[in-house]
Amino acid sequence: MPLDNVPTIEESIDIDAPPAKVWALVSELKNMPRWSPQTAKSFVRGGGPTKADSRLININRRGFLVWPTNSKVVRFEPEQEIAWRIKDNYMVWSYTLEPTAAGGTTLTSRREAPEGISDISVRLTKLAMGGVDNFAAELKRDMATTLTKIKADAER
């Protein structure tokens, strides 16, 4: 039985670049290794650009620990939102873009668990990552790092 009532975690950042420019970066999920502390590689199955229903294989790392995940793009609204669901743990990750009055973009990174967290993921998180709450706190810090890196790329 999955772990239910998992809090959503999110971070936001204001970027001095229009949504179209930010979207061009974040909608290509194979860019994630440039920004994310835990994403080592990301491949769109079948190649090509990320789009609605794209399937991805990710190689994640944390110190010496390395693990693969499989995901599918579940929401794809150009210049507004991209979301992908991790098959292995049921998590849904997303980027939401909102234009600002000054012509920039507020970018929000979010991790939700609408179906809870899979049993295997809970067990592995307890065993290798200090538990679900500690790992969620780490992911929240990593979100902030990732958003800062995206901001730097978008404002270049």
Side-chain angles (χ1 to χ4, degrees):
M1 178 134 213
L3 177 64
D4 291 328
N5 299 319
V6 178
T8 296
I9 57 175
E10 71 177 39
E11 286 287 327
S12 296
I13 197 165
D14 287 331
I15 300 174
D16 188 20
K21 185 170 185 182
V22 177
W23 176 256
L25 294 169
V26 300
S27 66
E28 277 303 329
L29 296 177
K30 60 189 171 192
N31 286 330
M32 288 302 293
R34 287 192 351 224
W35 310 311
S36 171
Q38 288 192 11
T39 305
K41 298 278 183 192
S42 186
F43 307 94
V44 176
R45 293 173 75 189
T50 306
K51 59 183 187 248
D53 296 326
S54 286
R55 294 183 184 274
L56 296 100
I57 298 171
N58 301 296
I59 306 299
N60 301 295
R61 70 179 179 324
R62 181 180 186 251
F64 293 110
L65 183 63
V66 176
W67 69 98
T69 59
N70 294 284
S71 60
K72 179 182 177 186
V73 175
V74 294
R75 295 189 300 270
F76 191 88
E77 297 293 328
E79 298 184 28
Q80 295 177 33
E81 182 185 33
I82 184 168
W84 58 101
R85 181 185 181 274
I86 309 296
K87 178 182 176 186
D88 314 274
N89 62 17
Y90 313 153
M91 296 294 177
V92 177
W93 288 81
S94 63
Y95 286 118
T96 305
L97 294 77
E98 295 180 34
T100 65
T105 305
T106 299
L107 179 64
T108 301
S109 177
R110 183 176 294 114
R111 189 209 69 177
E112 301 169 273
E115 299 172 51
I117 303 175
S118 68
D119 290 339
I120 187 72
S121 185
V122 170
R123 278 190 234 114
L124 291 173
T125 301
K126 285 179 181 177
L127 178 69
M129 307 212 186
V132 172
D133 292 339
N134 287 338
F135 190 52
E138 180 180 329
L139 292 174
K140 186 169 174 60
R141 288 188 303 272
D142 286 353
M143 280 180 175
T145 299
T146 300
L147 289 174
T148 299
K149 290 179 179 181
I150 293 168
K151 175 182 174 79
D153 277 1
E155 290 181 352
R156 277 196 192 110

